[in-house]
Amino acid sequence: MDYNVIWYVIVGILLIGFAILDGFDLGVGILHLFTKTDHDRRIMLNSIGPVWDGNEVWLITAGGALFAAFPEIYATAFSGFYLAFMLLLIALIFRAVSIEFRSKEKNPRWRKTWDFCFFFGSVTASILFGVAIGNAVIGLHIESDMEYHGTFLNLLNPYALLCGFFNMVMFALHGAVFLNIKTEGKLQRQVKSWIKTIYPIFVILFIAVTGITLSIKPEMIANFSYGHFEYKEPSHQLIADYQSVISSVAWLVVFLNVLSVLNIPRAIHKNKEMFAFISSSCTIAALISLFALGIFPNLLISNVEPEYSLNIYNGSSSQKTLKTMFEIAIWGMPFVLAYTSIIYWTYRGKTVLNEHSY
Amino acid sequence: MNLDPELLARLQFAFTIMFHYIFPPFSIGLGLLIVIYESLYVFKKKAIYEKIARFWVKIFAANFAVGVATGIVMEFEFGTNWSTYSRYVGDVFGSPLAAEGIFAFFLESGFLSILLFGWHRVSKGMHLFSTFMVFIGSTMSAFWIVVANSWQQTPAAFEIVTNNGASRAVITDFWGMVFNPSALVRFEHVVVGAFIQGAFLVLSISAYYILKNKYEDFAKSSFRIALIVMTLASFLQLFLGDLSAKIVAEHQPAKFAALEGLYETRSNAPLYAFGWVDEKNEKTTGLAIPGMLSFLTHGDFNATVNGLDKIPVDERPPVNRTFQVYHIMITLGFFFIGLSVFSLIMLGMKKLYTTKWLMKVYVGAVILPVIANQCGWMTAEFGRQPWVVWGLLKTSDGISKTVTAPEILTSLILFFIVYVLLFFVWIYVLDKEIKHGPEHFEDLPYAGYARRGDRADTIEGNV
């Protein structure tokens, strides 16, 4: 393994961290409009209150890591998807301030306005995350100059939108599973009924997205095929060398993915709240891992010419930077995990309101 | 209409960063004061300081939220609007941003939750520790971001590598990049500027209460400590500003000449108190102390200082703009020193809080350090033009190639609307918090801290 592969894994871990952690608070943002009373909305907001900011840092750090490790990819993606990123920024700004400002005024119109902003921000960010992954799968109009030459509307193609919608449903489910831990009584019963509604939609979309992906982009499965399946471009040296290991890991992830999806309703039914949340988190981690295994070693696939694709070698920083940054990451990550654990431990248990609440 | 994408991209960056830069200095400065107030509560066991710490935490929270929300924009804009720049220097410039994420953002966002909501959940010591960590986190964030900016001002520890016809900067020594010639001094200059700005926020709101005869013990205790911090920081800033200017003189001669509008290389160079630069005729007029610039730069009134005549015309920064913002910053710096000395004398004479006009000055003065810090930032950035990386890459060569002017205009208008809205909401919320004043914790059913291990769930109140 070289530093380029290690950084592919690190960016992947940061994205998984973002999707699991920010995923549930985005989910809460999507769901909270479905409760009607101010008290219930406050319970929902305060269940993510102490952690949402730290969760979003995973996305910011993933962006920073992409810039440091793969500057070409950072530059192509961020300038190419200009309007999409601007929309994401506006969504994240509204989300951040609506949580803080909502509680400052008792007036129902004030609160409803911020509730809507919070909802809008959460839905938009969730859909865009899925749209980004969808486009990374089907490939982009990237020319030999490493620049994206498509438009904003090209990004909103049916497949990408389906992925966006799927991601929103997945985050909503994840958010509901999280709320099931943090709520009690009548609100918890309501949350459980949401899970019962969202789960089948999630499973149908899961199957649909998998099926459509395999039919329009069969090469997504090339790295899983023990070398039996080669599509257009020859596979990467690293995959050729470790073909059987990589394929075995990939199928293990597929197996675990199915298992974790099936376990969500089982754990909910048995009132194992935390177990359900872990299953939901594993589902998200597995899906992102499958995506990463599918496109490896590319990060941005060109649908013009395979060799224009940006991969972990032609898009990376120098070895010196990759090595130094790896050392920094190794130093930093234990601290990050320590703070995260301390915070989640401090705020364990059911959410209640007091005078510091939002 | 012919829109210039470079101009729009620069306008957007300037607007979004200036708006963002209102908030982090408040967070850092107010953070320091909250650490002091809470330490006084925990170690001196004076109950008034609990009230003080808790009140300022509420002000801090509203400010922090806007700061965080507008900060993400900056990280994205390097890629969205300046992608050619990002490709060219990403190997060097990306790493301090990533380090900021790993070392600063996680720290501050994590402990922020204990600072804001942890009063019942953790022990006093742990809460104080968390407050301190949030302060350290926001200061570290400033460190990494100033490092990144300083590398643009005084690039070091890199080489230019050409691969397949495309050249880019590649790092040769990470710590050499981090501690580039201007990084440490500029970081100290920025952080001390933040201390002054945070202190003035406390001084302003406290002075308002004193004038209104409300919460007097609370306001006077808050005021006194903020005044001490402001005084120390203002004097320190005089020293750091001078040091910073010397580094500019050494490493960025064009910027340095622009600061004082010095066109002609000469000995006995003057230092302007204020003035105007006629860029067309290359002439600077105003009130100046002869020889002072030579003395401050080289310790000798007759030393020669390089002027803009040594710099090719197309590599000169916009002189008058740079001159003006720099002089506004310095004038304000001296005003802070004068104000603090005068206020301390009045405090000694026990007349400080009863001198109404002085309190009124403090109420309004909160805007001044914000202006000073903004001018400081503008000085640094105007003075670096036309380079985005000093001597290496021109700003005009750094913009995104695929982004069109209408796209940038759209996002600029969007940001403008959103930020104006945010600003007024922030002011409104702040105003509400100020009018509401500090809480009376003794009246609450579960005042004070919970014991370690207690769960707040068991003390649900009707709030």
Side-chain angles (χ1 to χ4, degrees):
Chain A
M1 268 225 291
D2 51 26
Y3 284 112
N4 300 61
V5 178
I6 290 175
W7 271 100
Y8 187 76
V9 175
I10 293 177
V11 172
I13 290 173
L14 289 168
L15 279 181
I16 290 174
F18 159 74
I20 290 178
L21 296 174
D22 216 22
F24 74 71
D25 65 54
L26 285 163
V28 171
I30 296 164
L31 293 171
H32 88 302
L33 277 193
F34 294 94
T35 56
K36 295 295 172 220
T37 68
D38 186 55
H39 179 268
D40 285 355
R41 284 190 185 168
R42 286 187 67 201
I43 290 276
M44 290 173 74
L45 262 181
N46 281 287
S47 66
I48 60 167
V51 293
W52 74 269
D53 186 20
N55 295 344
E56 201 171 282
V57 172
W58 288 84
L59 178 68
I60 299 168
T61 305
L66 195 69
F67 195 175
F70 303 109
E72 298 284 359
I73 288 152
Y74 168 83
T76 302
F78 278 58
S79 63
F81 315 154
Y82 189 83
L83 289 176
F85 273 112
M86 292 301 152
L87 196 58
L88 178 64
L89 282 174
I90 303 281
L92 291 178
I93 290 174
F94 272 112
R95 237 175 83 80
V97 295
S98 50
I99 300 179
E100 179 60 37
F101 289 154
R102 181 190 190 279
S103 63
K104 301 294 178 193
E105 178 84 76
K106 283 217 163 71
N107 177 350
R109 265 190 39 212
W110 171 270
R111 293 201 163 183
K112 271 184 190 147
T113 309
W114 291 116
D115 283 346
F116 176 76
C117 289
F118 186 49
F119 172 79
F120 153 80
S122 305
V123 168
T124 310
S126 306
I127 291 180
L128 285 175
F129 187 62
V131 166
I133 291 200
N135 280 302
V137 169
I138 55 166
L140 298 149
H141 191 105
I142 294 172
E143 301 270 3
S144 60
D145 58 359
M146 288 188 164
E147 301 272 14
Y148 172 70
H149 289 271
T151 65
F152 177 54
L153 288 177
N154 292 152
L155 299 174
L156 301 178
N157 56 72
Y159 175 77
L161 283 174
L162 178 70
C163 292
F165 186 63
F166 172 54
N167 190 60
M168 188 191 79
V169 171
M170 181 168 81
F171 281 177
L173 178 67
H174 191 50
V177 171
F178 174 77
L179 283 174
N180 187 39
I181 303 174
K182 304 302 280 185
T183 55
E184 50 200 342
K186 208 174 135 212
L187 182 59
Q188 192 184 21
R189 283 195 292 281
Q190 191 175 22
V191 166
K192 277 191 176 167
S193 78
W194 289 342
I195 296 174
K196 273 188 195 130
T197 317
I198 304 168
Y199 184 77
I201 305 174
F202 167 74
V203 173
I204 292 167
L205 284 170
F206 183 62
I207 295 167
V209 169
T210 310
I212 294 171
T213 306
L214 292 181
S215 70
I216 63 172
K217 265 296 192 191
E219 57 265 52
M220 278 297 282
I221 202 116
N223 292 340
F224 296 52
S225 69
Y226 293 92
H228 294 302
F229 183 80
E230 276 202 22
Y231 197 84
K232 280 191 204 162
E233 49 180 331
S235 61
H236 186 255
Q237 188 59 39
L238 195 87
I239 293 180
D241 291 349
Y242 297 95
Q243 183 68 67
S244 48
V245 180
I246 290 172
S247 295
S248 304
V249 170
W251 285 108
L252 188 69
V253 175
V254 172
F255 176 69
L256 291 175
N257 195 1
V258 173
L259 218 60
S260 59
V261 170
L262 293 177
N263 195 48
I264 296 171
R266 188 177 152 270
I268 295 282
H269 184 71
K270 291 197 159 184
N271 288 325
K272 290 183 176 167
E273 296 159 358
M274 194 48 83
F275 196 29
F277 183 71
I278 291 168
S279 301
S280 173
S281 303
C282 287
T283 305
I284 292 174
L287 273 168
I288 295 178
S289 303
L290 289 177
F291 156 71
L293 279 163
I295 64 166
F296 183 87
N298 293 310
L299 274 151
L300 291 174
I301 295 170
S302 168
N303 59 19
V304 181
E305 192 69 59
E307 61 188 89
Y308 296 162
S309 295
L310 292 170
N311 61 42
I312 59 170
Y313 296 102
N314 68 2
S316 80
S317 282
S318 66
Q319 290 301 308
K320 175 101 189 166
T321 292
L322 292 178
K323 184 169 177 288
T324 316
M325 290 309 298
F326 174 66
E327 284 155 10
I328 285 182
I330 288 293
W331 272 100
M333 281 323 270
F335 286 101
V336 170
L337 295 177
Y339 319 138
T340 310
S341 315
I342 291 174
I343 302 314
Y344 277 85
W345 178 248
T346 305
Y347 294 99
R348 68 195 180 279
K350 303 285 180 191
T351 304
V352 291
L353 301 178
N354 62 33
E355 88 277 5
H356 298 298
S357 301
Y358 284 126
Chain B
M1 194 164 54
N2 222 344
L3 294 167
D4 175 10
E6 186 200 340
L7 180 69
L8 288 170
R10 285 182 63 185
L11 268 178
Q12 177 164 325
F13 200 85
F15 175 67
T16 48
I17 203 162
M18 284 174 69
F19 186 80
H20 172 63
Y21 194 47
I22 296 172
F23 305 96
F26 278 134
S27 295
I28 294 171
L30 201 52
L32 173 72
L33 281 164
I34 295 170
V35 168
I36 297 173
Y37 293 138
E38 200 178 341
S39 301
L40 285 167
Y41 168 56
V42 173
F43 294 115
K44 294 249 170 182
K45 304 202 170 36
K46 283 194 180 166
I48 180 85
Y49 287 110
E50 181 186 16
K51 195 187 252 186
I52 291 175
R54 288 202 193 208
F55 175 76
W56 295 111
V57 163
K58 288 211 297 190
I59 303 288
F60 180 89
N63 174 69
F64 195 90
V66 189
V68 167
T70 53
I72 316 170
V73 177
M74 309 321 306
E75 190 197 16
F76 277 38
E77 273 181 345
F78 293 116
T80 51
N81 290 6
W82 304 97
S83 68
T84 312
Y85 164 82
S86 300
R87 286 178 208 279
Y88 191 72
V89 300
D91 195 83
V92 188
F93 190 82
S95 39
L97 296 192
E100 187 187 17
I102 292 174
F103 290 129
F105 290 156
F106 279 114
L107 185 68
E108 56 181 358
S109 65
F111 286 103
L112 179 74
S113 77
I114 297 186
L115 172 62
L116 299 188
F117 312 104
W119 301 98
H120 293 312
R121 290 244 165 179
V122 297
S123 68
K124 276 186 203 179
M126 178 64 193
H127 195 276
L128 176 60
F129 175 75
S130 305
T131 309
F132 187 64
M133 284 298 120
V134 172
F135 168 64
I136 294 290
S138 49
T139 311
M140 284 225 292
S141 176
F143 174 76
W144 288 107
I145 214 67
V146 172
V147 161
N149 184 274
S150 296
W151 186 83
Q152 290 178 282
Q153 307 279 350
T154 55
F158 69 99
E159 58 185 5
I160 301 296
V161 173
T162 306
N163 204 351
N164 298 331
S167 61
R168 64 172 186 172
V170 169
I171 205 163
T172 51
D173 169 15
F174 179 76
W175 295 108
M177 180 277 293
V178 172
F179 295 106
N180 64 69
S182 65
L184 266 186
V185 171
R186 295 181 79 236
F187 163 65
E188 289 156 5
H189 191 49
V190 164
V191 168
V192 173
F195 291 167
I196 296 174
Q197 189 176 321
F200 263 96
L201 184 64
V202 173
L203 291 168
S204 167
I205 298 172
S206 305
Y208 170 79
Y209 288 147
I210 292 167
L211 276 173
K212 295 257 162 187
N213 297 320
K214 275 159 81 179
Y215 322 113
E216 278 180 58
D217 292 348
F218 162 87
K220 285 176 185 169
S221 296
S222 290
F223 195 98
R224 199 170 53 243
I225 287 163
L227 180 61
I228 294 167
V229 169
M230 190 273 264
T231 309
L232 292 175
S234 305
F235 276 99
L236 189 60
Q237 196 64 310
L238 185 66
F239 166 74
L240 289 170
D242 176 54
L243 215 58
S244 205
K246 285 194 169 82
I247 284 179
V248 173
E250 194 182 336
H251 294 274
Q252 294 175 285
K255 185 202 268 189
F256 188 73
L259 294 181
E260 288 296 340
L262 187 70
Y263 277 97
E264 168 199 9
T265 300
R266 57 174 286 184
S267 62
N268 198 27
L271 184 81
Y272 285 88
F274 54 86
W276 191 261
V277 184
D278 178 358
E279 289 186 51
K280 229 183 203 162
N281 300 312
E282 307 203 340
K283 216 175 134 48
T284 307
T285 42
L287 180 69
I289 312 165
M292 200 60 191
L293 186 63
S294 295
F295 177 75
L296 283 176
T297 320
H298 301 290
D300 173 5
F301 286 100
N302 287 315
T304 305
V305 179
N306 287 328
L308 286 160
D309 51 4
K310 292 251 168 119
I311 314 291
V313 176
D314 63 342
E315 292 182 12
R316 290 180 193 172
V319 185
N320 191 40
R321 259 191 277 169
T322 313
F323 180 98
Q324 298 305 341
V325 289
Y326 177 67
H327 282 83
I328 294 171
M329 173 182 77
I330 292 187
T331 308
L332 287 171
F334 280 107
F335 174 73
F336 299 150
I337 292 177
L339 184 65
S340 61
V341 171
F342 179 69
S343 303
L344 282 177
I345 294 171
M346 295 295 272
L347 183 70
M349 291 162 67
K350 298 199 191 302
K351 278 192 200 159
L352 177 63
Y353 303 123
T354 47
T355 312
K356 288 219 161 169
W357 67 266
L358 187 57
M359 289 295 114
K360 280 182 188 158
V361 167
Y362 271 108
V363 171
V366 64
I367 189 79
L368 299 178
V370 179
I371 294 172
N373 283 328
Q374 297 278 346
C375 284
W377 178 79
M378 282 192 269
T379 306
E381 300 294 277
F382 285 154
R384 196 189 57 214
Q385 299 304 328
W387 302 101
V388 61
V389 183
W390 186 261
L392 199 64
L393 184 72
K394 290 251 172 90
T395 308
S396 51
D397 295 326
I399 57 169
S400 298
K401 288 176 188 154
T402 56
V403 181
T404 61
E407 284 177 314
I408 308 176
L409 186 65
T410 309
S411 58
L412 180 59
I413 293 169
L414 220 58
F415 277 122
F416 185 76
I417 296 168
V418 171
Y419 280 11
V420 167
L421 192 80
L422 265 187
F423 186 76
F424 283 109
V425 175
W426 177 65
I427 293 286
Y428 174 78
V429 167
L430 217 57
D431 181 61
K432 224 176 126 62
E433 293 284 12
I434 294 167
K435 295 223 168 92
H436 184 259
E439 304 277 354
H440 295 281
F441 293 100
E442 53 276 21
D443 300 343
L444 289 168
Y446 36 85
Y449 297 87
R451 273 177 291 115
R452 189 188 294 272
D454 269 3
R455 282 174 43 169
D457 324 4
T458 55
I459 48 169
E460 174 158 19
N462 185 20
V463 198

